[in-house]
Amino acid sequence: MSDIAIVGAGISGLHLALRLQQAGVTTTVYAERSTEDLAAGRPLSLPVRFGRTLDRERELGVSHWEGGDNDTLGVRLVARGAGIGFLGRLDAPASGVDLRLYLPTLTADYLERGGRVVVLRPDAAEIERISRDHDLVVVATGRAATTGLFPRDPERSPYTAPQRVLTAGLFHGIAPVDPGHIHFQVSEAGEIFSTRILTAEGPVHGMVVEGLPGGALEQLASYDHTEDPAGFEKTLLSLVAEYAPDLRERISDREFGIRRPGDVIQGGLTPVVRRSWAALDSGRIALALGDAWIVNDPLAGQGANLGSRIAFEIAELIVAGGPFDEAFAERAAERLWRIAEPVVAWSNLNVAPPVEHLGGIFVTATADQRVADAFVANFNHPADMWEAVKTPDATRAWLAGITEG
């Protein structure tokens, strides 16, 4: 029976561990920090898990937050300057749960079923050391980028710098919507979106500001929210009023504020695809998973969802059996890239300069609910999304199939 090391206890690492556990494969999860430290720390990210990821959670027996107010049922996209505004319905509910609640809960599930978790700093020396005790190492933490194990793949990575400057946080004082949906507002300065996020203390709203470098929204990323939270909140509200007025209408001046000190994320992510495996000095193979392999800008909401999908694929490859050698790694790389490539392409298109045919979808969706629903449903089917938007001809054919079918 195989013995697998999983370095990283994020969504992708835990989904892999739980899936292999179901198949009777021995695993050890090496986490960067304890669940207690994670729960008490700052937010990691604000992922929305779409329907197919929730299906996988049901398969894993970890669907703890389904139904009712926890469901996200659609996406409202607004670009006032272009006359665009529509609410499209997802084909299956999505969910936003604070990772400081989500990850400890799944870790507890894994441990209760006989799993093993070890706290470990994920540097190259430690990965090399633990590899000698396992048949295969799967590295599922973004900190692996600093180890040099998985160098950037320049052919698959068109960007060398962040395409958006990010500010995200959890806030009180944003009124809920019915039906629950993601509000996504586009402007010349970038994008602002918000959705309901369930935390350990109850529901709040997550807001993400994606500022174009050099634009007005960029300033938030350098504002010291810990030293001057009131000034940060005032500046944020002013920018939301100017660049996302529809969202500003739902915010209470009296109640608005950061959920708790430190509940803000600032910085920028460079979209990147790294080499998907490495041969270690121990003779073992290390596979990259999640942010160790691919980092997508969060604008398309695909990071956690892709990580979960790839985790299930890797589990299937492992259960099929070894040897876990370079030939295995090459077969895995080819299979996994076929799944990931359209997701990466769609995510990169979102942060590229606007393309006319994508704007045409938005204009048509504003006037035709069928198009609005089909477009939004494809957030749950990113490969289909890419097929619909990859060229002007593909978009014309996709729209014709909806409006003339």
Side-chain angles (χ1 to χ4, degrees):
M1 182 63 68
S2 302
D3 187 309
I4 309 300
I6 301 168
V7 181
I11 290 179
S12 54
L14 288 172
H15 281 204
L16 174 60
L18 288 158
R19 190 62 168 172
L20 290 175
Q21 195 174 53
Q22 287 181 325
V25 177
T26 300
T27 58
T28 301
V29 172
Y30 294 91
E32 296 179 52
R33 48 181 166 164
S34 69
T35 53
E36 293 80 9
D37 287 344
L38 174 64
R42 290 191 174 190
L44 303 175
S45 63
L46 305 178
V48 172
R49 298 154 10 262
F50 292 109
R52 296 170 77 182
T53 299
L54 300 187
D55 287 341
R56 287 187 286 270
E57 292 176 1
R58 294 183 195 103
E59 288 188 58
L60 295 173
V62 297
S63 54
H64 299 292
W65 303 282
E66 288 196 274
D69 292 340
N70 291 330
D71 287 347
T72 297
L73 302 177
V75 177
R76 180 182 296 278
L77 190 148
V78 179
R80 278 195 171 188
I84 291 168
F86 61 85
L87 172 60
R89 292 167 290 206
L90 290 161
D91 61 351
S95 174
V97 178
D98 187 351
L99 291 181
R100 294 168 296 182
L101 169 62
Y102 182 94
L103 298 179
T105 303
L106 265 64
T107 300
D109 291 331
Y110 170 69
L111 289 170
E112 288 170 5
R113 299 170 191 179
R116 179 172 178 253
V117 176
V118 177
V119 176
L120 169 136
R121 182 175 179 83
D123 59 28
E126 286 292 275
I127 292 171
E128 181 68 46
R129 180 183 64 80
I130 65 170
S131 73
R132 301 178 188 276
D133 299 324
H134 302 276
D135 299 308
L136 176 69
V137 180
V138 182
V139 182
T141 169
R143 291 188 185 275
T146 64
T147 67
L149 286 176
F150 309 111
R152 175 179 177 270
D153 185 338
E155 293 184 0
R156 296 172 175 173
S157 304
Y159 301 119
T160 57
Q163 300 303 292
R164 297 291 189 276
V165 184
L166 307 179
T167 303
L170 296 173
F171 300 93
H172 295 296
I174 302 177
V177 287
D178 185 18
H181 60 259
I182 301 168
H183 182 97
F184 192 98
Q185 197 135 0
V186 181
S187 73
E188 69 277 11
E191 301 83 16
I192 298 176
F193 56 97
S194 177
T195 192
R196 182 185 186 279
I197 301 289
L198 181 65
T199 73
E201 291 78 32
V204 295
H205 267 75
M207 188 192 307
V208 180
V209 178
E210 295 231 353
L212 285 162
L217 296 176
E218 182 182 36
Q219 63 183 287
L220 278 175
S222 58
Y223 201 116
D224 192 334
H225 61 91
T226 58
E227 287 292 325
D228 183 15
F232 173 83
E233 292 163 3
K234 181 179 179 180
T235 301
L236 173 58
L237 284 180
S238 174
L239 291 170
V240 172
E242 183 172 359
Y243 295 103
D246 299 74
L247 177 59
R248 181 64 178 89
E249 293 174 0
R250 292 170 42 211
I251 298 176
S252 165
D253 290 333
R254 181 174 58 85
E255 298 177 3
F256 182 76
I258 302 169
R259 171 182 165 265
R260 71 183 190 192
D263 268 8
V264 174
I265 308 165
Q266 294 166 301
L269 298 173
T270 301
V272 66
V273 179
R274 300 187 182 93
R275 183 169 168 81
S276 62
W277 64 274
L280 303 175
D281 291 342
S282 63
R284 302 293 196 265
I285 294 296
L287 296 183
L289 170 63
D291 287 349
W293 181 29
I294 294 171
V295 174
N296 287 312
D297 188 280
L299 202 54
Q302 295 302 319
N305 296 284
L306 178 60
S308 171
R309 171 72 190 284
I310 296 298
F312 267 55
E313 293 292 328
I314 289 178
E316 186 175 314
L317 289 164
I318 289 171
V319 170
F324 302 118
D325 54 14
E326 294 191 11
F328 167 85
E330 288 287 4
R331 291 194 304 273
E334 182 178 353
R335 174 172 166 176
L336 299 177
W337 180 243
R338 285 199 298 270
I339 297 168
E341 184 176 17
V343 183
V344 171
W346 160 238
S347 296
N348 284 343
L349 181 66
N350 273 270
V351 295
V355 293
E356 184 175 353
H357 62 281
L358 184 57
I361 290 178
F362 299 158
V363 170
T364 307
T366 298
D368 192 324
Q369 189 63 45
R370 295 171 299 173
V371 176
D373 290 344
F375 175 76
V376 167
N378 274 345
F379 278 90
N380 192 28
H381 308 277
D384 293 344
M385 182 76 88
W386 177 240
E387 286 301 313
V389 302
K390 64 182 181 181
T391 66
D393 286 345
T395 295
R396 281 191 288 270
W398 181 77
L399 286 172
I402 296 167
T403 58
E404 300 173 11

